[in-house]
Coordinates of all heavy atoms in Angstrom, one line a residue:
M1 N -63.3 76.4 -33.2 CA -62.7 77.5 -32.5 C -61.6 76.9 -31.6 O -61.7 75.9 -31.0 CB -63.7 78.2 -31.6 CG -63.2 79.3 -30.8 SD -64.5 80.2 -29.9 CE -63.6 81.5 -29.4
F2 N -60.5 77.6 -31.6 CA -59.3 77.2 -30.9 C -59.2 77.9 -29.6 O -58.7 79.0 -29.5 CB -58.0 77.4 -31.7 CG -58.0 76.3 -32.8 CD1 -58.6 76.5 -34.0 CD2 -57.3 75.1 -32.6 CE1 -58.5 75.6 -35.0 CE2 -57.2 74.1 -33.6 CZ -57.9 74.4 -34.8
T3 N -59.7 77.3 -28.5 CA -59.7 77.9 -27.2 C -58.3 77.7 -26.6 O -57.4 77.0 -27.1 CB -60.7 77.1 -26.3 OG1 -60.2 75.7 -26.2 CG2 -62.1 77.2 -26.8
T4 N -58.0 78.4 -25.5 CA -56.7 78.3 -24.8 C -56.5 76.9 -24.4 O -55.3 76.4 -24.6 CB -56.7 79.2 -23.6 OG1 -57.0 80.6 -24.0 CG2 -55.4 79.2 -22.9
K5 N -57.5 76.2 -24.0 CA -57.3 74.8 -23.5 C -56.9 73.9 -24.7 O -56.0 73.1 -24.6 CB -58.6 74.3 -22.9 CG -58.5 72.9 -22.3 CD -59.8 72.5 -21.7 CE -59.8 71.2 -21.0 NZ -61.0 70.8 -20.4
R6 N -57.5 74.1 -25.9 CA -57.2 73.4 -27.0 C -55.8 73.6 -27.5 O -55.1 72.7 -27.9 CB -58.2 73.7 -28.1 CG -58.2 72.8 -29.3 CD -59.4 73.1 -30.2 NE -59.3 72.3 -31.4 CZ -60.2 72.4 -32.4 NH1 -61.2 73.3 -32.4 NH2 -60.1 71.7 -33.5
I7 N -55.4 74.9 -27.5 CA -54.0 75.3 -27.9 C -53.0 74.7 -26.9 O -51.9 74.2 -27.3 CB -53.9 76.8 -28.1 CG1 -54.7 77.2 -29.3 CG2 -52.4 77.2 -28.2 CD1 -54.8 78.7 -29.5
N8 N -53.3 74.7 -25.6 CA -52.4 74.1 -24.7 C -52.2 72.6 -24.9 O -51.2 72.1 -24.7 CB -52.9 74.4 -23.2 CG -52.7 75.8 -22.8 OD1 -51.8 76.5 -23.3 ND2 -53.4 76.3 -21.8
R9 N -53.3 71.9 -25.3 CA -53.2 70.5 -25.6 C -52.3 70.3 -26.8 O -51.5 69.3 -26.9 CB -54.6 69.9 -25.9 CG -55.4 69.7 -24.7 CD -56.7 69.0 -25.0 NE -57.4 68.8 -23.7 CZ -58.7 68.6 -23.7 NH1 -59.4 68.7 -24.8 NH2 -59.3 68.5 -22.5
M10 N -52.4 71.2 -27.8 CA -51.5 71.1 -29.0 C -50.1 71.4 -28.6 O -49.2 70.7 -29.1 CB -52.0 72.1 -30.1 CG -53.2 71.6 -30.7 SD -53.6 72.4 -32.3 CE -53.6 74.1 -31.9
K11 N -49.8 72.3 -27.6 CA -48.5 72.6 -27.2 C -47.9 71.3 -26.6 O -46.8 70.9 -26.8 CB -48.4 73.7 -26.2 CG -48.6 75.1 -26.8 CD -48.5 76.1 -25.7 CE -48.7 77.5 -26.3 NZ -48.7 78.6 -25.4
W12 N -48.7 70.6 -25.8 CA -48.3 69.4 -25.2 C -48.0 68.3 -26.2 O -47.0 67.6 -26.2 CB -49.3 68.9 -24.2 CG -48.9 67.6 -23.5 CD1 -49.3 66.3 -23.8 CD2 -47.9 67.4 -22.5 NE1 -48.7 65.4 -23.0 CE2 -47.8 66.1 -22.2 CE3 -47.1 68.3 -21.8 CZ2 -46.9 65.6 -21.2 CZ3 -46.2 67.8 -20.9 CH2 -46.1 66.5 -20.6
A13 N -48.8 68.3 -27.3 CA -48.7 67.3 -28.4 C -47.4 67.6 -29.2 O -46.9 66.7 -29.9 CB -49.9 67.3 -29.2
C14 N -47.0 68.9 -29.2 CA -45.8 69.2 -29.9 C -44.5 68.7 -29.2 O -43.4 68.6 -29.9 CB -45.6 70.8 -30.0 SG -46.8 71.5 -31.2
R15 N -44.6 68.3 -28.0 CA -43.5 67.7 -27.3 C -43.4 66.2 -27.7 O -44.2 65.4 -27.3 CB -43.7 67.8 -25.8 CG -43.7 69.2 -25.3 CD -44.0 69.3 -23.8 NE -43.1 68.3 -23.1 CZ -42.4 68.6 -22.1 NH1 -42.4 69.8 -21.6 NH2 -41.6 67.7 -21.5
R16 N -42.4 65.9 -28.6 CA -42.3 64.6 -29.2 C -41.2 63.8 -28.6 O -40.5 64.3 -27.7 CB -42.1 64.8 -30.7 CG -43.0 65.8 -31.4 CD -44.5 65.4 -31.3 NE -44.8 64.2 -32.0 CZ -46.0 63.9 -32.5 NH1 -47.0 64.7 -32.3 NH2 -46.2 62.8 -33.1
G17 N -41.0 62.6 -29.1 CA -40.0 61.8 -28.6 C -38.7 62.0 -29.4 O -37.6 61.5 -29.0
M18 N -38.7 62.9 -30.3 CA -37.5 63.3 -31.1 C -37.3 64.7 -31.1 O -38.1 65.6 -31.3 CB -37.7 62.9 -32.6 CG -37.9 61.4 -32.9 SD -38.1 61.2 -34.7 CE -37.7 59.5 -34.8
L19 N -36.0 65.1 -30.7 CA -35.7 66.5 -30.6 C -35.9 67.2 -31.9 O -36.3 68.4 -31.9 CB -34.2 66.6 -30.1 CG -33.7 68.0 -30.0 CD1 -34.4 68.8 -29.0 CD2 -32.2 68.0 -29.7
E20 N -35.6 66.6 -33.0 CA -35.7 67.2 -34.3 C -37.1 67.7 -34.6 O -37.4 68.7 -35.2 CB -35.3 66.2 -35.4 CG -33.9 65.8 -35.4 CD -33.6 64.6 -34.5 OE1 -34.5 64.2 -33.7 OE2 -32.5 64.1 -34.5
L21 N -38.1 66.9 -34.1 CA -39.5 67.3 -34.2 C -39.9 68.4 -33.2 O -40.6 69.4 -33.5 CB -40.4 66.1 -34.1 CG -40.3 65.1 -35.1 CD1 -41.2 63.9 -34.8 CD2 -40.6 65.6 -36.5
D22 N -39.3 68.3 -32.0 CA -39.6 69.4 -31.0 C -39.2 70.8 -31.5 O -39.9 71.7 -31.3 CB -38.8 69.1 -29.7 CG -39.4 67.9 -28.9 OD1 -40.5 67.4 -29.3 OD2 -38.7 67.4 -28.0
V23 N -38.0 70.8 -32.1 CA -37.5 72.2 -32.6 C -38.3 72.7 -33.8 O -38.1 73.9 -34.1 CB -36.0 72.2 -32.8 CG1 -35.3 71.8 -31.5 CG2 -35.6 71.2 -33.9
L24 N -39.1 71.9 -34.4 CA -39.9 72.4 -35.5 C -41.4 72.7 -35.1 O -41.9 73.8 -35.4 CB -40.0 71.3 -36.6 CG -38.8 71.2 -37.5 CD1 -39.0 70.0 -38.4 CD2 -38.5 72.4 -38.3
L25 N -42.0 71.8 -34.4 CA -43.4 71.9 -34.1 C -43.8 73.0 -33.1 O -44.7 73.7 -33.4 CB -43.9 70.5 -33.7 CG -43.8 69.4 -34.7 CD1 -44.3 68.1 -34.1 CD2 -44.6 69.7 -35.9
L26 N -43.1 73.0 -32.0 CA -43.5 74.0 -31.0 C -43.2 75.4 -31.4 O -44.1 76.3 -31.3 CB -42.8 73.7 -29.6 CG -43.3 74.6 -28.5 CD1 -44.8 74.5 -28.3 CD2 -42.6 74.2 -27.2
P27 N -42.1 75.7 -32.0 CA -41.9 77.1 -32.5 C -42.9 77.4 -33.6 O -43.3 78.6 -33.7 CB -40.4 77.0 -33.1 CG -39.8 76.0 -32.3 CD -40.8 74.9 -32.1
F28 N -43.3 76.5 -34.4 CA -44.3 76.7 -35.5 C -45.6 77.1 -34.8 O -46.2 78.1 -35.2 CB -44.5 75.5 -36.4 CG -45.5 75.8 -37.4 CD1 -45.2 76.5 -38.6 CD2 -46.8 75.3 -37.3 CE1 -46.1 76.7 -39.6 CE2 -47.8 75.6 -38.2 CZ -47.4 76.3 -39.4
L29 N -46.0 76.3 -33.8 CA -47.2 76.6 -33.1 C -47.2 78.0 -32.5 O -48.1 78.8 -32.6 CB -47.5 75.6 -32.0 CG -48.8 75.8 -31.2 CD1 -50.0 75.7 -32.0 CD2 -48.8 74.7 -30.1
E30 N -46.1 78.4 -31.8 CA -46.0 79.6 -31.1 C -45.8 80.8 -32.1 O -46.3 81.9 -31.8 CB -44.8 79.6 -30.2 CG -45.0 78.6 -29.0 CD -43.8 78.4 -28.1 OE1 -42.7 78.8 -28.6 OE2 -44.0 78.0 -27.0
Q31 N -45.2 80.6 -33.2 CA -44.9 81.8 -34.1 C -45.8 81.9 -35.3 O -46.0 83.0 -35.8 CB -43.4 81.6 -34.6 CG -42.4 81.6 -33.6 CD -41.0 81.2 -34.1 OE1 -40.8 81.1 -35.3 NE2 -40.1 81.0 -33.1
A32 N -46.4 80.8 -35.8 CA -47.1 80.9 -37.1 C -48.5 80.4 -37.0 O -49.3 80.6 -38.0 CB -46.3 80.1 -38.1
F33 N -48.9 79.8 -36.0 CA -50.2 79.1 -35.9 C -51.4 80.2 -36.1 O -52.3 79.9 -36.9 CB -50.4 78.4 -34.6 CG -51.7 77.7 -34.5 CD1 -51.9 76.4 -35.1 CD2 -52.8 78.2 -33.7 CE1 -53.1 75.7 -35.0 CE2 -54.0 77.5 -33.6 CZ -54.1 76.2 -34.3
D34 N -51.2 81.3 -35.5 CA -52.3 82.3 -35.7 C -52.5 82.9 -37.1 O -53.6 83.3 -37.4 CB -52.0 83.5 -34.7 CG -52.2 83.2 -33.3 OD1 -52.9 82.2 -33.0 OD2 -51.6 83.9 -32.4
E35 N -51.5 82.7 -37.9 CA -51.5 83.2 -39.3 C -52.2 82.2 -40.2 O -52.6 82.5 -41.4 CB -50.1 83.4 -39.8 CG -49.4 84.5 -39.1 CD -47.9 84.5 -39.4 OE1 -47.5 84.0 -40.5 OE2 -47.1 85.2 -38.7
L36 N -52.5 80.9 -39.7 CA -53.1 79.9 -40.6 C -54.6 80.1 -40.7 O -55.2 80.7 -39.8 CB -52.8 78.5 -39.9 CG -51.4 78.1 -39.8 CD1 -51.4 76.7 -39.0 CD2 -50.7 78.0 -41.1
S37 N -55.1 79.6 -41.8 CA -56.6 79.6 -41.9 C -57.2 78.6 -40.9 O -56.4 77.7 -40.4 CB -57.0 79.2 -43.4 OG -56.7 77.8 -43.6
D38 N -58.5 78.6 -40.7 CA -59.1 77.6 -39.8 C -58.9 76.2 -40.3 O -58.6 75.3 -39.5 CB -60.6 77.9 -39.7 CG -60.8 79.2 -38.8 OD1 -59.9 79.6 -38.1 OD2 -62.0 79.7 -38.9
E39 N -58.9 76.0 -41.6 CA -58.7 74.7 -42.2 C -57.3 74.2 -41.9 O -57.1 73.0 -41.6 CB -59.0 74.7 -43.7 CG -58.9 73.3 -44.3 CD -59.3 73.4 -45.8 OE1 -60.4 73.8 -46.1 OE2 -58.4 73.1 -46.6
Q40 N -56.3 75.1 -42.1 CA -54.9 74.7 -41.9 C -54.7 74.5 -40.4 O -53.9 73.6 -40.1 CB -54.0 75.9 -42.3 CG -53.9 76.0 -43.8 CD -53.2 77.2 -44.3 OE1 -53.3 78.3 -43.7 NE2 -52.4 77.1 -45.3
K41 N -55.4 75.2 -39.5 CA -55.2 74.9 -38.1 C -55.7 73.5 -37.7 O -55.1 72.8 -37.0 CB -56.0 76.0 -37.3 CG -55.3 77.3 -37.3 CD -56.2 78.4 -36.6 CE -55.5 79.7 -36.6 NZ -56.3 80.8 -35.9
E42 N -56.8 73.1 -38.3 CA -57.4 71.8 -38.1 C -56.4 70.7 -38.6 O -56.2 69.7 -38.0 CB -58.7 71.6 -38.8 CG -59.8 72.5 -38.3 CD -60.4 72.0 -37.0 OE1 -60.2 70.8 -36.6 OE2 -61.1 72.8 -36.3
T43 N -55.8 71.0 -39.8 CA -54.8 70.1 -40.4 C -53.6 70.0 -39.5 O -53.0 68.9 -39.3 CB -54.4 70.6 -41.8 OG1 -55.6 70.6 -42.6 CG2 -53.4 69.6 -42.4
F44 N -53.1 71.1 -38.9 CA -51.9 71.0 -38.0 C -52.3 70.2 -36.8 O -51.5 69.4 -36.4 CB -51.5 72.4 -37.6 CG -50.4 72.5 -36.7 CD1 -49.1 72.2 -37.1 CD2 -50.5 72.7 -35.3 CE1 -48.0 72.2 -36.2 CE2 -49.5 72.7 -34.4 CZ -48.2 72.4 -34.9
E45 N -53.4 70.4 -36.3 CA -53.9 69.6 -35.1 C -53.9 68.1 -35.5 O -53.5 67.3 -34.7 CB -55.2 70.1 -34.6 CG -55.7 69.4 -33.3 CD -56.9 70.0 -32.8 OE1 -57.8 70.4 -33.6 OE2 -57.1 70.2 -31.6
R46 N -54.4 67.8 -36.6 CA -54.4 66.4 -37.1 C -53.0 65.9 -37.3 O -52.7 64.7 -37.0 CB -55.2 66.3 -38.4 CG -55.6 64.9 -38.8 CD -56.7 64.9 -39.8 NE -56.5 65.7 -41.0 CZ -56.0 65.2 -42.1 NH1 -55.6 63.9 -42.2 NH2 -55.8 66.0 -43.2
L47 N -52.1 66.7 -37.8 CA -50.7 66.3 -38.0 C -50.1 65.8 -36.7 O -49.3 64.9 -36.7 CB -49.9 67.4 -38.6 CG -48.5 67.2 -39.0 CD1 -48.4 66.3 -40.2 CD2 -47.7 68.5 -39.2
L48 N -50.5 66.5 -35.6 CA -49.9 66.1 -34.3 C -50.3 64.8 -33.8 O -49.7 64.3 -32.9 CB -50.3 67.2 -33.3 CG -49.7 68.6 -33.5 CD1 -50.2 69.6 -32.5 CD2 -48.2 68.6 -33.5
T49 N -51.3 64.1 -34.5 CA -51.7 62.8 -34.1 C -50.9 61.7 -34.8 O -51.0 60.5 -34.5 CB -53.2 62.5 -34.3 OG1 -53.4 62.6 -35.7 CG2 -54.0 63.6 -33.6
C50 N -50.0 62.1 -35.8 CA -49.2 61.2 -36.5 C -48.0 60.7 -35.7 O -47.6 61.3 -34.8 CB -48.7 61.8 -37.8 SG -50.0 62.3 -39.0
D51 N -47.6 59.5 -36.1 CA -46.4 58.9 -35.4 C -45.1 59.6 -35.7 O -44.9 60.1 -36.8 CB -46.3 57.4 -35.8 CG -47.4 56.6 -35.4 OD1 -48.0 56.9 -34.3 OD2 -47.7 55.6 -36.1
D52 N -44.2 59.7 -34.7 CA -43.0 60.3 -34.8 C -42.1 59.9 -36.0 O -41.6 60.7 -36.8 CB -42.1 60.2 -33.6 CG -42.6 61.1 -32.4 OD1 -43.6 61.9 -32.7 OD2 -42.0 61.0 -31.4
P53 N -42.0 58.6 -36.3 CA -41.2 58.2 -37.4 C -41.7 58.7 -38.8 O -41.0 59.1 -39.7 CB -41.2 56.6 -37.4 CG -41.5 56.3 -35.9 CD -42.4 57.4 -35.5
D54 N -43.1 58.7 -38.9 CA -43.7 59.3 -40.1 C -43.4 60.8 -40.2 O -43.0 61.3 -41.3 CB -45.2 59.0 -40.1 CG -45.5 57.6 -40.3 OD1 -44.7 56.8 -40.9 OD2 -46.6 57.1 -39.8
L55 N -43.6 61.5 -39.1 CA -43.4 62.9 -39.2 C -41.9 63.2 -39.5 O -41.6 64.1 -40.3 CB -43.7 63.5 -37.8 CG -45.2 63.8 -37.5 CD1 -45.4 64.2 -36.0 CD2 -45.8 64.8 -38.4
F56 N -41.0 62.5 -38.9 CA -39.6 62.7 -39.1 C -39.3 62.5 -40.6 O -38.6 63.3 -41.2 CB -38.8 61.8 -38.2 CG -37.3 62.0 -38.4 CD1 -36.7 63.1 -37.9 CD2 -36.5 61.1 -39.1 CE1 -35.3 63.3 -38.0 CE2 -35.2 61.3 -39.3 CZ -34.5 62.4 -38.7
A57 N -39.8 61.4 -41.2 CA -39.5 61.1 -42.6 C -40.1 62.2 -43.5 O -39.4 62.5 -44.5 CB -40.1 59.7 -42.9
W58 N -41.2 62.7 -43.1 CA -41.8 63.8 -44.0 C -41.0 65.1 -43.9 O -40.8 65.7 -44.9 CB -43.3 64.0 -43.6 CG -44.2 62.8 -43.7 CD1 -44.0 61.7 -44.6 CD2 -45.4 62.5 -43.0 NE1 -45.0 60.8 -44.4 CE2 -45.9 61.3 -43.5 CE3 -46.1 63.2 -42.0 CZ2 -47.0 60.7 -43.0 CZ3 -47.2 62.7 -41.5 CH2 -47.7 61.4 -42.0
V59 N -40.7 65.5 -42.7 CA -40.0 66.8 -42.6 C -38.6 66.7 -43.1 O -38.0 67.7 -43.6 CB -40.0 67.4 -41.1 CG1 -41.4 67.6 -40.7 CG2 -39.3 66.5 -40.2
M60 N -38.0 65.6 -43.1 CA -36.6 65.4 -43.6 C -36.6 65.2 -45.1 O -35.5 65.2 -45.7 CB -35.9 64.2 -42.9 CG -35.7 64.5 -41.4 SD -34.8 66.0 -41.0 CE -33.2 65.6 -41.7
G61 N -37.8 64.9 -45.7 CA -37.9 64.7 -47.1 C -37.5 63.3 -47.5 O -37.3 63.1 -48.7
H62 N -37.5 62.4 -46.6 CA -37.2 61.0 -46.9 C -38.4 60.3 -47.6 O -38.2 59.4 -48.4 CB -36.8 60.2 -45.7 CG -35.5 60.7 -45.1 ND1 -35.3 60.5 -43.7 CD2 -34.5 61.4 -45.6 CE1 -34.1 61.1 -43.5 NE2 -33.6 61.6 -44.6
R63 N -39.6 60.7 -47.2 CA -40.8 60.2 -47.8 C -41.8 61.4 -47.9 O -41.7 62.4 -47.3 CB -41.4 59.2 -46.8 CG -40.7 57.8 -46.9 CD -41.5 56.8 -46.1 NE -41.6 57.2 -44.7 CZ -42.6 56.8 -43.9 NH1 -43.6 56.0 -44.3 NH2 -42.6 57.2 -42.7
T64 N -42.8 61.2 -48.7 CA -43.9 62.1 -48.9 C -45.2 61.5 -48.3 O -45.5 60.4 -48.5 CB -44.1 62.4 -50.4 OG1 -42.9 62.9 -51.0 CG2 -45.2 63.5 -50.6
C65 N -45.9 62.4 -47.6 CA -47.1 61.9 -47.0 C -48.2 61.7 -48.1 O -48.3 62.5 -49.0 CB -47.6 63.0 -46.0 SG -49.2 62.6 -45.2
D66 N -48.9 60.6 -48.0 CA -50.0 60.3 -49.0 C -51.2 61.3 -48.8 O -51.9 61.5 -49.8 CB -50.5 58.9 -48.8 CG -49.4 57.9 -49.1 OD1 -48.5 58.2 -49.9 OD2 -49.5 56.8 -48.6
D67 N -51.4 61.9 -47.7 CA -52.5 62.8 -47.5 C -52.1 64.2 -48.0 O -51.1 64.8 -47.4 CB -52.8 62.8 -46.0 CG -54.0 63.7 -45.7 OD1 -54.1 64.9 -46.2 OD2 -54.9 63.3 -44.9
P68 N -52.7 64.7 -49.0 CA -52.3 66.0 -49.5 C -52.4 67.2 -48.5 O -51.5 68.1 -48.6 CB -53.2 66.3 -50.7 CG -54.2 65.2 -50.7 CD -53.8 64.2 -49.7
E69 N -53.3 67.2 -47.6 CA -53.4 68.2 -46.7 C -52.3 68.2 -45.7 O -51.7 69.2 -45.3 CB -54.8 68.2 -45.9 CG -56.0 68.5 -46.8 CD -57.3 68.4 -46.0 OE1 -57.3 67.7 -44.9 OE2 -58.3 68.9 -46.5
L70 N -52.0 67.0 -45.2 CA -50.9 66.8 -44.2 C -49.5 67.2 -44.9 O -48.7 67.8 -44.3 CB -50.8 65.4 -43.6 CG -52.0 65.1 -42.7 CD1 -51.8 63.6 -42.2 CD2 -52.1 66.0 -41.6
S71 N -49.4 66.7 -46.2 CA -48.2 67.0 -46.9 C -48.0 68.5 -47.1 O -46.9 69.1 -46.9 CB -48.2 66.3 -48.3 OG -47.0 66.5 -49.0
A72 N -49.1 69.2 -47.4 CA -49.0 70.7 -47.5 C -48.6 71.3 -46.2 O -47.8 72.3 -46.2 CB -50.3 71.2 -48.1
M73 N -49.2 70.8 -45.1 CA -48.8 71.4 -43.8 C -47.4 71.2 -43.4 O -46.7 72.0 -42.9 CB -49.7 70.8 -42.7 CG -49.5 71.3 -41.3 SD -49.6 73.1 -41.2 CE -51.2 73.5 -41.8
V74 N -46.9 70.0 -43.8 CA -45.4 69.7 -43.5 C -44.6 70.7 -44.3 O -43.6 71.3 -43.7 CB -45.1 68.3 -43.9 CG1 -43.6 68.1 -43.9 CG2 -45.7 67.3 -42.9
N75 N -44.9 71.0 -45.5 CA -44.2 72.0 -46.3 C -44.3 73.4 -45.7 O -43.2 74.1 -45.7 CB -44.7 72.0 -47.8 CG -44.3 70.8 -48.5 OD1 -43.3 70.2 -48.3 ND2 -45.1 70.4 -49.5
I76 N -45.4 73.8 -45.2 CA -45.6 75.1 -44.6 C -44.6 75.1 -43.3 O -43.9 76.1 -43.1 CB -47.0 75.3 -44.2 CG1 -47.9 75.5 -45.4 CG2 -47.2 76.5 -43.2 CD1 -49.4 75.5 -45.1
I77 N -44.6 74.1 -42.5 CA -43.8 74.1 -41.3 C -42.3 74.1 -41.7 O -41.6 75.0 -41.1 CB -44.1 72.8 -40.5 CG1 -45.5 72.9 -39.9 CG2 -43.1 72.7 -39.3 CD1 -46.0 71.6 -39.4
V78 N -41.9 73.3 -42.6 CA -40.5 73.3 -42.9 C -40.0 74.6 -43.5 O -38.9 75.1 -43.2 CB -40.2 72.1 -43.9 CG1 -38.8 72.2 -44.5 CG2 -40.4 70.8 -43.2
N79 N -40.9 75.2 -44.3 CA -40.5 76.5 -44.9 C -40.6 77.7 -44.0 O -39.9 78.7 -44.1 CB -41.4 76.8 -46.2 CG -41.1 75.9 -47.3 OD1 -39.9 75.5 -47.5 ND2 -42.1 75.5 -48.0
R80 N -41.4 77.5 -42.9 CA -41.6 78.6 -42.0 C -40.6 78.7 -40.8 O -40.1 79.7 -40.5 CB -43.0 78.5 -41.4 CG -43.4 79.6 -40.4 CD -43.6 80.9 -41.0 NE -44.3 81.8 -40.2 CZ -43.8 82.6 -39.2 NH1 -42.5 82.6 -39.0 NH2 -44.5 83.4 -38.5
V81 N -40.3 77.5 -40.3 CA -39.4 77.4 -39.2 C -38.0 77.2 -39.7 O -37.7 76.2 -40.3 CB -39.8 76.3 -38.2 CG1 -38.9 76.2 -37.0 CG2 -41.2 76.5 -37.7
K82 N -37.1 78.2 -39.4 CA -35.7 78.1 -39.7 C -34.9 77.7 -38.5 O -34.9 78.5 -37.5 CB -35.2 79.4 -40.3 CG -36.0 79.9 -41.5 CD -35.9 78.9 -42.7 CE -36.8 79.5 -43.8 NZ -37.1 78.5 -44.8
V83 N -34.3 76.6 -38.5 CA -33.5 76.1 -37.4 C -32.0 76.2 -37.7 O -31.6 76.0 -38.8 CB -33.9 74.6 -37.1 CG1 -33.1 74.1 -35.9 CG2 -35.4 74.5 -36.8

């Protein structure tokens, strides 16, 4: 269950060291998170624990994540958030 406290922690985790990630992750959380399945929500939360260089490479298409769940979540985020 995603309590307000848990979602607030994810909002904080969306604040990254790279502006390119900030403009993807927080808008996704605010606009699309509620539409995700519980499993996808868990995957998004897990994605937020990844390192910035890895996340950046995945969202920019420079590399593909080896974890199929995380890779699918990256694709959902990139396709959902239009910057």
Side-chain angles (χ1 to χ4, degrees):
M1 177 172 192
F2 285 86
T3 62
T4 302
K5 185 176 183 179
R6 190 171 176 186
I7 290 174
N8 285 338
R9 284 185 179 155
M10 287 193 308
K11 283 181 182 178
W12 181 256
C14 285
R15 296 176 48 129
R16 311 302 291 208
M18 295 181 164
L19 178 61
E20 297 86 351
L21 296 176
D22 289 350
V23 299
L24 284 174
L25 297 175
L26 188 56
F28 180 81
L29 178 64
E30 292 173 341
Q31 299 168 10
F33 185 77
D34 291 337
E35 300 169 14
L36 299 176
S37 69
D38 288 342
E39 183 178 299
Q40 289 172 320
K41 289 177 181 179
E42 296 282 344
T43 301
F44 179 75
E45 187 174 37
R46 190 162 58 94
L47 183 73
L48 295 176
T49 66
C50 296
D51 293 330
D52 285 357
D54 291 331
L55 282 172
F56 181 75
W58 299 336
V59 300
M60 296 304 293
H62 298 153
R63 285 188 300 154
T64 304
C65 178
D66 293 334
D67 183 314
E69 290 177 345
L70 292 180
S71 183
M73 181 54 57
V74 168
N75 288 332
I76 291 170
I77 293 168
V78 169
N79 290 326
R80 178 70 162 88
V81 177
K82 304 296 181 201
V83 179

